[in-house]
């Protein structure tokens, strides 16, 4: 018999003898024997574990391991190698061998001091393949499991890989584990008594139930808040919670154990895919939460570049080996988590109050993530804290950030309420200002129907606002052809039509009247389109054309204007050169003078400068295209630079107007004779000459007929 066999047998006999003598002191004796057993094992290259009343034993220090680089050894060969002492002893609680594609064998021997049921638990759920071979007096029993095998084929349905042992008193048992993983290799192996295993399973289910329940509540809160508030941040946070939940339940074995045990055999890339998805959703949420796009475009671009890289990695994870993918994602996790901490610090530096909650949450989860990553790399030991660091950190993070988001929404709602109160006060103030304004303020729809008008309309047109609402704005345009030129009415209508098409604000003057007023009032109108809640209305303002307040001090004036061929300047120039006539003649006479001057100036532009014939004008007006026709004519190089010169003088005796165009002139004697005895006929054309004959005392044309002098003596009434 070999020396190691004698030592092995001696240790067994000694342990059994002391165990029988000191049965009431098993726990101290166990540790005493364990200390002794180490010295025996060191020389024998085999390790013996005493199965007694201990609730849980970490098997790492009792393991012997063998590396099978070619993955070619079978169980028979492994048993011989173990007996020959080819296995290496281990002293670590959780042996770690880094990233390796080799097959590892682990062996451990048991000497039960009493019969019972025990459970061996391998607590790394992501191992690709794990086979257990149990050698006892009855022979060898084998079990097979692993991450890439369907969950319902496992020997025992738990999140870890659990194997049941039926131990007989004093009957030696040796267990051989064959481990294969395309990634990191570690052996977190534990031995449980039956009672303690049941208790630990119940406790684990209770703790995981609490974790799942809290995660479900936080997810539901975020999703419901998104449904009711339409705030995108809550949806992004809910997506992050879900992706993290998938990742963490896959890592701890609960995804298949509790949620999809019969769905499929997972692809190795599924592991790194869930990690990348969690990182991606976390970065997207952080980017939107801190709103980098609004204050730092370079950081926003960098964030989106990292997001794109994560997406590319997620696509490639099914096409690269698991070991490479795991190493890449481990390093990526450390980098991205560190980067997001920097982002949060930037948010704090920018004095964003909301960043405080995110900073606290990310501080907790980043520390827990770093601990987990370091544990995965074997840089720190396995423990309850390192194994469940992500569970603990994630609960703190999601609670803190959800609380911060909710507080942000509360603050936003408070700001909205304050803004609504301010708006209500401003609305009341605005309504008061509108209702007490001297100007007529009104709102039209797209058909020019009056939808609102302030009380000022009663001051000028003797009607209540309710009477005006529902009527067309064009109904108030004064169209009496005796006092208002047809061209002016036509021009107003065409300007309104153009305004409805091009949407540009307009301003014009015109005569307006209501059913309760006999005399028209000259008003200056301003119109513009406004959009409110997706509805387009027309905001209008009407003010009377008032006379100069310095009129009482007026004695005389003498001015000259050179105007272009734009019709929108005619009304302004007419108002300007007649504003002081009110000191000497009546308002009715002034209106007639304005009408006559308007006709003369329009004739100078149309028939003089632009050389438009009466037939051309009639045709354009009949097709309601006159303004467009004028615009095109005015672009003609032959006419576009021509001017109308207007000179006038007013004193205490008379008003004199000289209007000269740049055209060829006309035979004025023929027209004077034609309209001398035909005042009420053919009102549409030749109106300017007829009106001037009616109101002015002297009409003098130059020889060419392109200049006319009009004189009105004060005191004479036609």
């Amino acid at each position: 018999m070999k020396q190691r066999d004698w030592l092995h047998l001696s240790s067994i006999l000694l342990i059994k003898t002391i165990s029988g003598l000191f049965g009431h002191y098993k726990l101290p004796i166990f540790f005493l024997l364990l200390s002794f057993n180490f010295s025996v094992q060191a020389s024998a290259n085999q390790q013996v574990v005493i199965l007694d009343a201990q609730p849980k034993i970490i098997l790492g220090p009792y393991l012997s391991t063998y590396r099978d680089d070619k993955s070619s050894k079978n169980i028979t060969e492994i048993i011989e190698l173990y007996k020959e002492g080819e296995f290496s002893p281990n002293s670590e609680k959780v042996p770690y061998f880094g990233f390796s594609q080799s097959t590892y064998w682990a062996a451990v021997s048991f000497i039960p001091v009493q019969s019972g049921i025990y459970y061996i638990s391998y607590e790394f759920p992501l191992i690709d393949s794990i086979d257990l071979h149990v050698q006892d007096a009855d022979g060898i029993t084998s079990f097979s499991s692993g991450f890439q095998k369907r969950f319902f084929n496992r020997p025992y349905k738990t999140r870890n890989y659990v194997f049941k042992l039926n131990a007989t008193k004093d009957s030696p048992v040796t267990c051989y584990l064959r481990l294969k993983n395309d990634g990191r290799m570690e052996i977190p192996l534990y031995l449980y008594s039956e009672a303690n295993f049941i208790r630990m399973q119940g406790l684990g289910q209770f703790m995981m139930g609490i974790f799942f329940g809290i995660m479900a509540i936080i997810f539901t809160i975020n999703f419901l808040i998104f449904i009711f508030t339409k705030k995108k941040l809550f949806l992004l946070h809910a997506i992050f919670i879900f992706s993290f939940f998938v990742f963490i339940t896959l890592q701890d074995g609960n995804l298949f154990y509790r949620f999809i045990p019969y769905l499929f055999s997972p692809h190795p890339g599924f592991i790194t895919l869930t990690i990348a998805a969690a990182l991606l959703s976390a970065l997207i949420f952080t980017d939107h939460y801190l709103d980098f796009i609004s204050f730092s475009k370079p950081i926003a671009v960098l964030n989106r570049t990292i997001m794109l890289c994560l997406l590319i990695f997620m696509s490639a994870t099914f096409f690269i080996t698991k070991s490479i993918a795991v190493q890449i994602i481990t390093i990526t996790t450390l980098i991205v988590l560190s980067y997001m901490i920097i982002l949060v610090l930037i948010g704090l530096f920018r004095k964003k109050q909301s960043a405080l909650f995110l900073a606290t949450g990310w501080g907790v989860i980043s520390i827990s993530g770093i601990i987990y990553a370091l544990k995965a790399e074997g840089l720190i030991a396995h423990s309850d804290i390192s194994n469940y660091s992500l569970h603990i950190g994630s609960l703190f993070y999601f609670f803190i950030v959800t609380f911060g988001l909710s507080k942000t929404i509360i603050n936003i709602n408070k700001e909205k309420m304050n803004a609504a109160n301010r708006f209500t006060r401003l609305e009341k103030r605005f309504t008061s200002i509108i209702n007490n304004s001297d100007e007529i303020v009104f709102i039209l729809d797209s058909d020019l129907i009056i939808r609102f008008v302030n009380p000022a309309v009663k001051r000028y047109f003797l009607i209540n606002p309710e009477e005006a609402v529902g009527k067309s704005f064009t109904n108030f345009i004064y169209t009496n052809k005796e006092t208002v030129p047809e061209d002016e009415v036509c021009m107003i209508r065409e300007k309104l039509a153009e305004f409805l098409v091009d949407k540009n604000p307009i301003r014009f003057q015109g005569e307006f009247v209501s059913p309760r007023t006999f005399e028209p009032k000259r008003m200056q109108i301003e119109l513009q389109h406004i959009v409110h809640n997706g509805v387009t209305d027309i905001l209008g303002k009407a003010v009377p054309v008032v006379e100069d307040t310095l009129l009482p001090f007026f004695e005389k004036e003498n001015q000259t204007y050179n105007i272009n061929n734009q019709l929108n300047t005619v009304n302004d120039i007419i108002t300007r050169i007649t504003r002081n006539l009110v000191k000497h003649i009546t308002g009715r006479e002034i209106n007639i003078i304005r009408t006559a001057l308007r006709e003369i100036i329009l004739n100078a532009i149309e028939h003089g400068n632009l050389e438009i014939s009466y037939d051309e004008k009639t045709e354009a007006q009949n097709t309601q295209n006159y303004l467009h026709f004028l615009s095109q004519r005015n672009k003609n190089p032959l006419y576009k630079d021509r001017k109308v010169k207007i000179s006038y003088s007013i004193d205490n005796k008379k008003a004199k107007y000289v209007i000269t165009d740049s055209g060829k002139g006309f035979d004025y004697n023929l027209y004077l004779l034609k309209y001398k005895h035909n005042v009420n006929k053919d009102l549409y054309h030749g109106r300017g000459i007829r009106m001037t004959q009616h109101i002015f005392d002297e009409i003098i044309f130059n020889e060419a007929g392109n200049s006319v002098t009009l004189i009105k003596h004060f005191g004479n009434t036609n």
Side-chain angles (χ1 to χ4, degrees):
M1 185 178 291
K2 296 182 179 179
Q3 181 183 7
R4 61 172 177 269
D5 294 329
W6 282 107
L7 291 172
H8 179 75
L9 179 61
S10 300
S11 65
I12 293 175
L13 293 175
L14 180 60
I15 290 168
K16 289 178 65 179
T17 302
I18 297 178
S19 176
L21 294 174
F22 301 97
H24 296 291
Y25 303 98
K26 291 181 179 178
L27 184 61
I29 294 301
F30 171 79
F31 287 107
L32 176 63
L33 296 178
L34 187 62
S35 175
F36 169 77
N37 199 32
F38 273 138
S39 63
V40 176
Q41 294 158 359
S43 61
N45 198 27
Q46 300 185 52
Q47 301 184 0
V48 179
V49 175
I50 305 303
L51 290 183
D52 206 342
Q54 307 307 313
K56 175 183 178 181
I57 299 176
I58 301 175
L59 296 179
Y62 306 104
L63 293 177
S64 297
T65 60
Y66 176 80
R67 178 173 175 173
D68 182 7
D69 291 326
K70 297 182 179 180
S71 302
S72 61
K73 305 297 183 184
N74 57 38
I75 184 59
T76 303
E77 294 173 320
I78 288 298
I79 292 175
E80 290 300 321
L81 291 172
Y82 180 66
K83 290 180 178 180
E84 294 172 1
E86 297 298 328
F87 276 59
S88 302
N90 177 74
S91 60
E92 299 177 356
K93 289 184 177 181
V94 179
Y96 180 77
F97 303 98
F99 288 83
S100 174
Q101 294 185 348
S102 298
T103 297
Y104 278 83
W105 289 83
V108 60
S109 297
F110 307 97
I111 300 294
V113 296
Q114 63 184 24
S115 299
I117 297 175
Y118 297 87
Y119 293 89
I120 293 178
S121 177
Y122 180 81
E123 300 186 357
F124 175 44
L126 303 183
I127 189 76
D128 287 344
S129 176
I130 176 172
D131 299 326
L132 175 66
H133 304 276
V134 180
Q135 183 184 31
D136 55 19
D138 298 327
I140 299 176
T141 305
S142 299
F143 307 93
S144 180
S145 189
F147 179 76
Q148 294 185 27
K149 298 180 181 180
R150 292 202 171 190
F151 178 83
F152 60 79
N153 290 330
R154 293 185 183 182
Y156 202 86
K157 307 301 186 290
T158 67
R159 66 186 185 89
N160 294 313
Y161 303 102
V162 176
F163 306 95
K164 184 178 179 181
L165 294 179
N166 290 307
T168 303
K169 182 179 180 181
D170 299 334
S171 178
V173 178
T174 302
C175 295
Y176 301 92
L177 276 84
R178 181 184 183 276
L179 303 169
K180 176 69 175 175
N181 193 41
D182 187 12
R184 75 177 190 265
M185 178 62 68
E186 57 185 80
I187 312 178
L189 196 64
Y190 302 89
L191 180 68
Y192 294 92
S193 64
E194 183 178 29
N196 190 58
F197 177 76
I198 295 173
R199 185 184 68 82
M200 292 298 293
Q201 283 291 103
L203 179 61
Q205 291 183 12
F206 175 74
M207 297 303 295
M208 285 296 101
I210 293 176
F211 174 76
F212 297 148
I214 295 175
M215 290 288 284
I217 291 172
I218 295 175
F219 172 83
T220 304
I221 289 173
N222 280 269
F223 190 73
L224 289 178
I225 293 176
F226 163 71
I227 294 296
F228 290 111
T229 66
K230 306 302 181 185
K231 298 294 183 182
K232 186 179 179 182
L233 268 178
F234 285 96
L235 176 61
L236 294 176
H237 197 220
I239 293 173
F240 174 38
I241 293 172
F242 177 77
S243 62
F244 185 87
F245 181 79
V246 173
F247 153 71
I248 196 70
T249 53
L250 179 66
Q251 293 289 317
D252 63 20
N254 277 297
L255 182 64
F256 295 97
Y257 172 41
R258 299 183 184 277
F259 300 104
I260 48 175
Y262 304 105
L263 187 58
F264 57 87
S265 298
H267 189 280
F270 190 63
I271 299 172
T272 51
L273 177 68
T274 59
I275 300 174
L279 291 174
L280 177 62
S281 59
L283 183 57
I284 292 174
F285 170 72
T286 303
D287 178 72
H288 283 77
Y289 186 83
L290 298 177
D291 195 19
F292 283 106
I293 194 67
S294 65
F295 72 87
S296 179
K297 293 291 181 61
I299 294 180
V301 171
L302 179 58
N303 290 346
R304 280 147 183 80
T305 302
I306 297 175
M307 295 174 196
L308 179 61
C309 292
L310 287 171
L311 283 172
I312 294 173
F313 174 78
M314 289 171 65
S315 303
T317 188
F318 293 100
F319 304 99
I320 57 179
T321 63
K322 178 184 173 183
S323 59
I324 295 176
V326 169
Q327 293 183 64
I328 292 175
I329 200 61
T330 301
I331 297 173
T332 301
T333 299
L334 293 173
I335 293 174
V336 173
L337 289 178
S338 302
Y339 175 69
M340 282 191 283
I341 292 176
I342 295 174
L343 293 182
V344 172
L345 293 177
I346 293 173
L348 288 173
F349 180 75
R350 297 285 299 181
K351 298 182 179 179
K352 295 181 75 70
Q353 183 179 3
S354 57
L356 180 60
F357 294 97
L358 192 61
T360 306
W362 267 119
V364 173
I365 200 172
S366 296
I367 292 173
S368 64
I370 291 172
I371 291 174
Y372 189 85
L374 293 176
K375 187 265 300 185
E377 288 292 327
L379 299 178
I380 60 176
H382 283 250
S383 66
D384 289 339
I385 294 178
S386 63
N387 290 337
Y388 293 97
S389 60
L390 284 178
H391 296 76
I392 299 170
S394 62
L395 288 180
F396 277 101
Y397 165 81
F398 290 123
F399 176 79
I400 292 170
V401 175
T402 300
F403 177 78
L405 282 173
S406 302
K407 188 172 182 180
T408 300
I409 293 299
I410 292 173
N411 293 335
I412 291 175
N413 289 334
K414 286 182 179 179
E415 292 177 1
K416 285 184 175 180
M417 292 179 61
N418 293 334
N421 292 333
R422 289 194 299 269
F423 178 79
T424 301
R425 292 193 296 269
L426 289 173
E427 186 178 29
K428 291 180 179 179
R429 183 178 178 185
F430 176 77
T431 302
S432 176
I433 292 173
I434 292 297
N435 290 335
N436 293 287
S437 174
D438 291 332
E439 301 175 346
I440 300 175
V441 180
F442 55 93
I443 295 177
L444 311 175
D445 63 15
S446 58
D447 296 322
L448 300 181
I449 302 300
I450 299 173
R451 298 304 179 191
F452 166 82
V453 64
N454 68 338
V457 69
K458 186 174 183 179
R459 181 178 308 159
Y460 298 106
F461 295 103
L462 305 180
I463 60 173
N464 293 318
E466 296 80 8
E467 298 178 73
V469 172
K471 293 181 173 58
S472 175
F473 173 77
T474 58
N475 291 346
F476 294 88
I477 300 175
Y478 189 59
T479 58
N480 191 324
K481 296 181 180 180
E482 290 295 328
T483 57
V484 179
E486 182 69 18
D487 286 344
E488 178 177 321
V489 177
C490 179
M491 183 180 67
I492 291 175
R493 293 185 184 277
E494 290 195 9
K495 286 179 75 70
L496 289 174
E498 185 179 353
F499 166 74
L500 293 175
V501 174
D502 61 24
K503 310 294 185 183
N504 294 324
I506 60 170
R507 175 186 297 179
F508 61 90
Q509 291 184 7
E511 302 289 339
F512 292 85
V513 71
S514 77
R516 297 188 181 180
T517 56
F518 297 100
E519 291 292 330
K521 294 187 180 297
R522 188 160 192 83
M523 310 291 288
Q524 178 164 300
I525 307 297
E526 296 181 12
L527 299 176
Q528 63 176 331
H529 284 89
I530 56 173
V531 179
H532 179 66
N533 291 334
V535 179
T536 301
D537 289 317
I538 299 170
L539 177 64
K541 182 177 71 172
V543 295
V545 179
V546 297
E547 308 298 342
D548 193 350
T549 57
L550 297 177
L551 185 63
F553 309 105
F554 173 76
E555 289 189 2
K556 62 180 178 179
E557 64 177 328
N558 188 344
Q559 292 189 14
T560 300
Y561 292 91
N562 278 293
I563 65 172
N564 57 23
N565 298 321
Q566 300 296 326
L567 297 189
N568 55 11
T569 62
V570 174
N571 285 336
D572 293 335
I573 196 68
I574 294 298
T575 301
R576 177 66 184 84
I577 66 179
T578 61
R579 63 180 180 176
N580 291 321
L581 292 179
V582 68
K583 187 172 183 178
H584 302 291
I585 57 178
T586 66
R588 181 177 180 278
E589 290 179 302
I590 294 174
N591 284 337
I592 297 174
I593 288 177
R594 285 173 173 169
T595 302
L597 289 173
R598 182 180 296 106
E599 291 294 332
I600 294 296
I601 295 174
L602 286 175
N603 283 340
I605 293 174
E606 296 170 348
H607 307 305
N609 286 354
L610 300 180
E611 299 184 13
I612 298 173
S613 68
Y614 287 110
D615 291 338
E616 289 176 321
K617 180 176 179 179
T618 301
E619 181 180 355
Q621 288 179 328
N622 289 338
T623 58
Q624 297 183 350
N625 198 32
Y626 186 55
L627 291 181
H628 178 72
F629 174 74
L630 282 176
S631 175
Q632 295 301 314
R633 192 67 165 234
N634 198 36
K635 294 177 181 178
N636 192 316
L638 295 176
Y639 313 123
K640 67 177 184 178
D641 295 327
R642 292 182 177 183
K643 305 290 185 182
V644 175
K645 181 179 180 181
I646 303 172
S647 300
Y648 78 99
S649 63
I650 300 175
D651 56 27
N652 292 330
K653 294 182 179 182
K654 67 180 183 301
K656 178 181 178 181
Y657 297 92
V658 181
I659 301 170
T660 306
D661 63 58
S662 303
K664 300 176 181 179
F666 72 109
D667 188 353
Y668 60 89
N669 290 312
L670 178 62
Y671 278 91
L672 288 176
L673 180 62
K674 181 177 179 180
Y675 292 106
K676 182 176 182 180
H677 304 292
N678 197 21
V679 176
N680 295 320
K681 296 180 181 180
D682 197 14
L683 296 178
Y684 195 70
H685 296 313
R687 184 183 182 90
I689 296 176
R690 187 177 65 256
M691 294 296 294
T692 56
Q693 288 178 319
H694 181 66
I695 191 63
F696 286 101
D697 299 312
E698 298 181 48
I699 303 174
I700 305 169
F701 286 91
N702 67 351
E703 184 176 353
N706 67 338
S707 178
V708 61
T709 301
L710 307 174
I711 300 175
K712 172 67 177 178
H713 296 287
F714 301 137
N716 293 342
T717 302
N718 294 331

